[in-house]
PDB file of all heavy atoms in Angstrom:
ATOM      1  N   THR A  20     -14.498   6.133  20.563  1.00  0.00           N
ATOM      2  CA  THR A  20     -14.927   5.055  21.463  1.00  0.00           C
ATOM      3  C   THR A  20     -14.604   5.398  22.916  1.00  0.00           C
ATOM      4  O   THR A  20     -15.439   5.241  23.802  1.00  0.00           O
ATOM      5  CB  THR A  20     -14.223   3.725  21.081  1.00  0.00           C
ATOM      6  OG1 THR A  20     -14.463   3.474  19.694  1.00  0.00           O
ATOM      7  CG2 THR A  20     -14.735   2.580  21.904  1.00  0.00           C
ATOM      8  N   MET A  38     -20.991  -3.231  25.550  1.00  0.00           N
ATOM      9  CA  MET A  38     -20.415  -2.994  24.221  1.00  0.00           C
ATOM     10  C   MET A  38     -21.504  -2.533  23.254  1.00  0.00           C
ATOM     11  O   MET A  38     -21.260  -1.670  22.399  1.00  0.00           O
ATOM     12  CB  MET A  38     -19.751  -4.267  23.713  1.00  0.00           C
ATOM     13  CG  MET A  38     -18.498  -4.668  24.487  1.00  0.00           C
ATOM     14  SD  MET A  38     -17.112  -3.518  24.318  1.00  0.00           S
ATOM     15  CE  MET A  38     -16.273  -4.185  22.857  1.00  0.00           C
ATOM     16  N   ILE A  41     -22.124   1.143  23.682  1.00  0.00           N
ATOM     17  CA  ILE A  41     -21.010   1.927  23.131  1.00  0.00           C
ATOM     18  C   ILE A  41     -21.113   2.008  21.618  1.00  0.00           C
ATOM     19  O   ILE A  41     -20.953   3.091  21.023  1.00  0.00           O
ATOM     20  CB  ILE A  41     -19.660   1.327  23.568  1.00  0.00           C
ATOM     21  CG1 ILE A  41     -19.513   1.438  25.098  1.00  0.00           C
ATOM     22  CG2 ILE A  41     -18.490   2.033  22.879  1.00  0.00           C
ATOM     23  CD1 ILE A  41     -18.411   0.580  25.671  1.00  0.00           C
ATOM     24  N   ALA A  42     -21.442   0.874  20.983  1.00  0.00           N
ATOM     25  CA  ALA A  42     -21.606   0.847  19.526  1.00  0.00           C
ATOM     26  C   ALA A  42     -22.710   1.814  19.096  1.00  0.00           C
ATOM     27  O   ALA A  42     -22.554   2.593  18.158  1.00  0.00           O
ATOM     28  CB  ALA A  42     -21.936  -0.580  19.069  1.00  0.00           C
ATOM     29  N   ILE A  47     -20.587   3.311  15.622  1.00  0.00           N
ATOM     30  CA  ILE A  47     -19.679   2.287  15.067  1.00  0.00           C
ATOM     31  C   ILE A  47     -20.376   0.933  15.174  1.00  0.00           C
ATOM     32  O   ILE A  47     -20.987   0.642  16.201  1.00  0.00           O
ATOM     33  CB  ILE A  47     -18.354   2.251  15.863  1.00  0.00           C
ATOM     34  CG1 ILE A  47     -17.665   3.603  15.817  1.00  0.00           C
ATOM     35  CG2 ILE A  47     -17.428   1.157  15.363  1.00  0.00           C
ATOM     36  CD1 ILE A  47     -16.548   3.779  16.831  1.00  0.00           C
ATOM     37  N   GLY A  48     -20.288   0.130  14.120  1.00  0.00           N
ATOM     38  CA  GLY A  48     -20.905  -1.196  14.201  1.00  0.00           C
ATOM     39  C   GLY A  48     -20.290  -2.051  15.285  1.00  0.00           C
ATOM     40  O   GLY A  48     -19.109  -1.883  15.601  1.00  0.00           O
ATOM     41  N   ARG A  49     -21.096  -2.950  15.892  1.00  0.00           N
ATOM     42  CA  ARG A  49     -20.575  -3.790  16.963  1.00  0.00           C
ATOM     43  C   ARG A  49     -19.385  -4.642  16.500  1.00  0.00           C
ATOM     44  O   ARG A  49     -18.407  -4.778  17.239  1.00  0.00           O
ATOM     45  CB  ARG A  49     -21.670  -4.733  17.511  1.00  0.00           C
ATOM     46  CG  ARG A  49     -22.613  -4.043  18.482  1.00  0.00           C
ATOM     47  CD  ARG A  49     -23.569  -5.052  19.091  1.00  0.00           C
ATOM     48  NE  ARG A  49     -22.931  -5.834  20.133  1.00  0.00           N
ATOM     49  CZ  ARG A  49     -23.037  -7.136  20.279  1.00  0.00           C
ATOM     50  NH1 ARG A  49     -23.762  -7.837  19.438  1.00  0.00           N
ATOM     51  NH2 ARG A  49     -22.411  -7.778  21.255  1.00  0.00           N
ATOM     52  N   ALA A  50     -19.481  -5.193  15.287  1.00  0.00           N
ATOM     53  CA  ALA A  50     -18.399  -6.035  14.770  1.00  0.00           C
ATOM     54  C   ALA A  50     -17.091  -5.222  14.666  1.00  0.00           C
ATOM     55  O   ALA A  50     -16.021  -5.690  15.049  1.00  0.00           O
ATOM     56  CB  ALA A  50     -18.773  -6.604  13.417  1.00  0.00           C
ATOM     57  N   THR A  51     -17.206  -3.982  14.177  1.00  0.00           N
ATOM     58  CA  THR A  51     -16.051  -3.114  14.063  1.00  0.00           C
ATOM     59  C   THR A  51     -15.483  -2.774  15.437  1.00  0.00           C
ATOM     60  O   THR A  51     -14.276  -2.815  15.665  1.00  0.00           O
ATOM     61  CB  THR A  51     -16.433  -1.798  13.347  1.00  0.00           C
ATOM     62  OG1 THR A  51     -17.119  -2.135  12.125  1.00  0.00           O
ATOM     63  CG2 THR A  51     -15.216  -0.960  13.032  1.00  0.00           C
ATOM     64  N   LEU A  52     -16.391  -2.451  16.356  1.00  0.00           N
ATOM     65  CA  LEU A  52     -15.975  -2.127  17.739  1.00  0.00           C
ATOM     66  C   LEU A  52     -15.122  -3.246  18.343  1.00  0.00           C
ATOM     67  O   LEU A  52     -14.073  -3.005  18.929  1.00  0.00           O
ATOM     68  CB  LEU A  52     -17.211  -1.848  18.595  1.00  0.00           C
ATOM     69  CG  LEU A  52     -16.946  -1.402  20.039  1.00  0.00           C
ATOM     70  CD1 LEU A  52     -16.151  -0.119  20.079  1.00  0.00           C
ATOM     71  CD2 LEU A  52     -18.278  -1.229  20.792  1.00  0.00           C
ATOM     72  N   TYR A  53     -15.606  -4.500  18.148  1.00  0.00           N
ATOM     73  CA  TYR A  53     -14.885  -5.652  18.709  1.00  0.00           C
ATOM     74  C   TYR A  53     -13.528  -5.851  18.035  1.00  0.00           C
ATOM     75  O   TYR A  53     -12.669  -6.519  18.597  1.00  0.00           O
ATOM     76  CB  TYR A  53     -15.747  -6.932  18.596  1.00  0.00           C
ATOM     77  CG  TYR A  53     -16.715  -7.067  19.733  1.00  0.00           C
ATOM     78  CD1 TYR A  53     -18.070  -6.862  19.562  1.00  0.00           C
ATOM     79  CD2 TYR A  53     -16.258  -7.414  21.014  1.00  0.00           C
ATOM     80  CE1 TYR A  53     -18.978  -6.988  20.615  1.00  0.00           C
ATOM     81  CE2 TYR A  53     -17.151  -7.554  22.079  1.00  0.00           C
ATOM     82  CZ  TYR A  53     -18.515  -7.328  21.869  1.00  0.00           C
ATOM     83  OH  TYR A  53     -19.387  -7.453  22.915  1.00  0.00           O
ATOM     84  N   LYS A  54     -13.345  -5.307  16.820  1.00  0.00           N
ATOM     85  CA  LYS A  54     -12.022  -5.397  16.188  1.00  0.00           C
ATOM     86  C   LYS A  54     -11.012  -4.520  16.934  1.00  0.00           C
ATOM     87  O   LYS A  54      -9.825  -4.775  16.945  1.00  0.00           O
ATOM     88  CB  LYS A  54     -12.099  -4.932  14.722  1.00  0.00           C
ATOM     89  CG  LYS A  54     -12.582  -6.023  13.796  1.00  0.00           C
ATOM     90  CD  LYS A  54     -12.399  -5.601  12.349  1.00  0.00           C
ATOM     91  CE  LYS A  54     -13.350  -6.395  11.469  1.00  0.00           C
ATOM     92  NZ  LYS A  54     -13.704  -5.685  10.251  1.00  0.00           N
ATOM     93  N   TYR A  55     -11.541  -3.447  17.549  1.00  0.00           N
ATOM     94  CA  TYR A  55     -10.654  -2.499  18.261  1.00  0.00           C
ATOM     95  C   TYR A  55     -10.456  -2.887  19.742  1.00  0.00           C
ATOM     96  O   TYR A  55      -9.356  -2.767  20.260  1.00  0.00           O
ATOM     97  CB  TYR A  55     -11.238  -1.074  18.186  1.00  0.00           C
ATOM     98  CG  TYR A  55     -11.075  -0.459  16.826  1.00  0.00           C
ATOM     99  CD1 TYR A  55     -12.005  -0.714  15.814  1.00  0.00           C
ATOM    100  CD2 TYR A  55      -9.992   0.351  16.553  1.00  0.00           C
ATOM    101  CE1 TYR A  55     -11.847  -0.134  14.566  1.00  0.00           C
ATOM    102  CE2 TYR A  55      -9.832   0.935  15.308  1.00  0.00           C
ATOM    103  CZ  TYR A  55     -10.756   0.672  14.304  1.00  0.00           C
ATOM    104  OH  TYR A  55     -10.604   1.220  13.077  1.00  0.00           O
ATOM    105  N   PHE A  56     -11.543  -3.288  20.375  1.00  0.00           N
ATOM    106  CA  PHE A  56     -11.506  -3.576  21.822  1.00  0.00           C
ATOM    107  C   PHE A  56     -12.250  -4.861  22.130  1.00  0.00           C
ATOM    108  O   PHE A  56     -13.411  -4.994  21.745  1.00  0.00           O
ATOM    109  CB  PHE A  56     -12.155  -2.416  22.596  1.00  0.00           C
ATOM    110  CG  PHE A  56     -11.455  -1.111  22.457  1.00  0.00           C
ATOM    111  CD1 PHE A  56     -11.967  -0.111  21.636  1.00  0.00           C
ATOM    112  CD2 PHE A  56     -10.277  -0.847  23.132  1.00  0.00           C
ATOM    113  CE1 PHE A  56     -11.330   1.115  21.491  1.00  0.00           C
ATOM    114  CE2 PHE A  56      -9.623   0.389  23.002  1.00  0.00           C
ATOM    115  CZ  PHE A  56     -10.155   1.348  22.182  1.00  0.00           C
ATOM    116  N   ILE A  62     -11.569  -0.868  27.155  1.00  0.00           N
ATOM    117  CA  ILE A  62     -11.843   0.514  26.723  1.00  0.00           C
ATOM    118  C   ILE A  62     -11.626   1.479  27.897  1.00  0.00           C
ATOM    119  O   ILE A  62     -11.001   2.529  27.725  1.00  0.00           O
ATOM    120  CB  ILE A  62     -13.295   0.658  26.216  1.00  0.00           C
ATOM    121  CG1 ILE A  62     -13.534  -0.314  25.043  1.00  0.00           C
ATOM    122  CG2 ILE A  62     -13.577   2.096  25.771  1.00  0.00           C
ATOM    123  CD1 ILE A  62     -14.955  -0.273  24.509  1.00  0.00           C
TER     124      ILE A  62
END
Side-chain angles (χ1 to χ4, degrees):
Chain A
T20 306
M38 292 294 271
I41 295 166
I47 301 166
R49 280 187 77 225
T51 309
L52 183 60
Y53 276 107
K54 278 190 202 153
Y55 286 85
F56 297 104
I62 302 178

